[in-house]
Amino acid sequence: MKKNILNYLIAFFIIISLNFFVPRLMPGGPIEAIYGSEVLLNISPETKEAIISSFGLDKPLFGQYFQYLVSILKGDFGYSFYQNSPVLKVILNHLPWTLGLMGSALFFSTSFGILLGMESGWKRGSKIDKFLLNFMIFSASFPSFFIAILFLILFGIILGLLPIQGARSIYSNLGGMGSIVDIIKHALLPMASLIFVFTPSTYIITRNSMISNLAEPYILLAKAKGLKETKIKYYHAGKNSIIPVMTQTGIRFATRLITGALFIEIVFSYPGMGSLIYNSIQLRDYPVLQGSLLVITILVLVVNIILDFFYKKVDPRINYAY
Amino acid sequence: MHISLKNRIKKDKKAKFGIIIVCVFVLISVFGPILVKDPYHFSIDYLRLPVAGHILGTNDLGQDVFARLVYGMRASLLVAISAGFLSTAIGTIIGTLSGFIGGAFDKVMMRIVDAFLVIPAIIFIMLVAAFLKPGIMTLIILISLFHWQGGAKIIRGQTLSLKNKNHIVSSRTFGAKKPYVLMRHIIPDLGNILVVSFIYNARAAIFLEAGLAFIGIANLSTISLGIIMHNAMKFYYLPVWIWWLVPPGIALSLILLSLTFIGTLIEKIIDPRLRNA
């Protein structure tokens, strides 16, 4: 556990340092790199002085780095001239949408993956198993944003079933239940795309561990005792097959989930972190871009730490490995 | 390894499919540009649905979408080969040195690798690339710089197990110097592992390039599959959109799928335990 936390700390410092040094290494200096030459032309010399001293750009590099660290820890990610508001506030407006999307997609893709994986592993070699396995391998190879585009075309445009943009209808006066239904409707397509992309990894791991668990003697014993098929399938073999889903998907899953969510949000103009990053790239709003990437990094690290913690609760064998 | 590659491929339908697709990709990338129109040529025939002369229609600048698709596939292949090669090279250098030298050097390197593994490469690249507005070459270098860690870890593991094999120990007792053993015995013995690492790195590079371009982190005046899709995204309200957006997406998915299949095939050759799974 200690070793892992050290990894996260190092990773965090690499990101912070990149965040700090890259704009300072750009030709034209950090102010031009961060705010763009357009902004520099439009601000008065006094404002420029104020920016320089507020970032401590007149101080030595080491002092600047220290000041940067302190302000990050205080939650001060800078100021966005495009949005005319502190970066943290902008990010906090967008973050909940991403978290909601990710959380629900995580829940559904894991549930589907586990259920389908159990069925598939139980009936190994059957037609259903072969179909599911091939389908999952196939769909796992699609880039997340292309899946999102296909969903958008099929359900949003050709069938016209669901809204294709945003997180809620604008200019509509829906109260209470109406607005909840509206939000769910808007979230359905992005969520479906995320679920589609992330079910395969859970499925494949569950299926493999189901197959190896079914070969264990305790299954034979359970059968000999005359237990019901459903009980053996879900309670004996199934329960043990869930452990590797947590332990093996872990880190890579968390990071892929977050980047996948970013791409899919862009396709559906869903107002989360992905769209924020996309727009800030279009506008060259670098303070927001840097802040968003930093927040996402922290998110990835926190999710990974939580997963790490859960592994040990779920599978006591992990503790012996350290 | 006494396994005939030919026989394995014959039995494996997916690998066959993958190899055929990759060959088609290579053929299109090499010969396509001779056959199609100039992808940069502007015309007043903009946003056309497919007609004779423009198989996939034209974009907002009147450029032939099919020609751009062919050039985009070429760009993806270029990214795949060069970033795949570069990142595998970095991974091999760090992995073999780490495993071979061991000690404090190994500990420090592995700590760095683990730290890099925790954060998605795409975030690192976005952070740096957003300032650089990179063309394809810069992007290839960035992808390679931030996507070698997985390969390095596997290669290090393999180097550790090779290090104690008889032929390497005996070559050391015959007085072979460390660099000689590394170059002459360890790296050639890694063989297929390097091939798998190359294929997966190439696959990741294609995906990263397309993803970054799709978000808009790229020099948008160049052509790649991701950039075509990025440009098309703005026109979702026009019927021409589907013809413009879906073909590059399919091309991208097909090449990713093929590389996965080929990678799995070689993994199965290396590790017989995977064969029945």
Side-chain angles (χ1 to χ4, degrees), chain A residues 8-16 18-19 95 255 258-259 262 273 277 289-305, chain B residues 115 118-120 122-124 127:
Chain A
Y8 295 134
L9 278 178
I10 294 172
F12 186 65
F13 270 98
I14 294 177
I15 278 282
I16 291 267
L18 273 180
N19 235 337
L95 194 60
T255 55
I258 290 167
T259 46
L262 299 184
M273 295 301 290
I277 289 174
L289 179 65
Q290 278 195 305
S292 313
L293 291 176
L294 204 60
V295 167
I296 288 171
T297 313
I298 295 170
L299 199 66
V300 171
L301 296 181
V302 169
V303 171
N304 283 339
I305 290 173
Chain B
V118 172
I119 301 170
I122 200 156
I123 289 183
F124 280 119
L127 197 65

Side-chain angles (χ1 to χ4, degrees), chain A residues 3 6-8 10-12 14-15 18-19 22-23 26 33-34 124 134 137-138 140-146 149-150 152-153 157-158 164-165 207-208 251 255 259 262-263 266-267 277-278 281-282 284 286 289-290 293 296-297 300-301 304, chain B residues 14 17 110-112 114-120 122-124 126-128 130-133 146 203 207-208 210-212 214-217 220 226 229-230 233-234 236 241-242 245-250 252-254 256-258 260-261 276-277:
Chain A
K3 193 180 148 193
L6 192 62
N7 283 339
Y8 295 134
I10 294 172
F12 186 65
I14 294 177
I15 278 282
L18 273 180
N19 235 337
V22 171
M26 288 294 126
I34 291 181
R124 183 188 180 186
N134 284 326
I137 291 175
F138 190 68
S141 277
F142 276 82
S144 47
F145 54 90
F146 186 54
I149 288 169
L150 289 181
L152 192 156
I153 291 174
I157 296 179
I158 296 179
I164 58 168
Q165 276 206 313
R207 178 181 174 274
N208 286 348
I251 287 169
T255 55
T259 46
L262 299 184
F263 281 131
I266 293 169
V267 174
I277 289 174
Y278 181 74
I281 289 169
Q282 311 289 312
R284 309 220 174 131
Y286 289 118
L289 179 65
Q290 278 195 305
L293 291 176
I296 288 171
T297 313
V300 171
L301 296 181
N304 283 339
Chain B
K14 283 177 193 145
F17 169 82
M110 281 307 110
R111 208 9 69 72
I112 295 172
D114 282 340
F116 268 100
L117 278 171
V118 172
I119 301 170
I122 200 156
I123 289 183
F124 280 119
M126 270 160 85
L127 197 65
V128 182
F131 287 102
L132 294 173
K133 299 165 201 88
F146 290 108
R203 185 186 186 283
F207 177 73
L208 284 171
L212 289 165
F214 183 73
I215 304 180
I217 299 183
L220 293 178
M229 292 172 85
H230 173 85
M233 274 307 287
K234 285 167 249 165
Y236 62 91
W241 190 64
I242 292 176
L245 190 57
V246 174
I250 290 176
L252 192 64
S253 309
L254 275 179
L256 292 176
L257 191 68
S258 316
T260 312
F261 287 165
N276 297 320

Side-chain angles (χ1 to χ4, degrees), chain B residues 19-33:
Chain B
I19 289 168
I20 291 171
I21 294 288
V22 170
C23 290
V24 170
F25 238 77
V26 172
L27 283 178
I28 292 178
S29 312
V30 175
F31 297 110

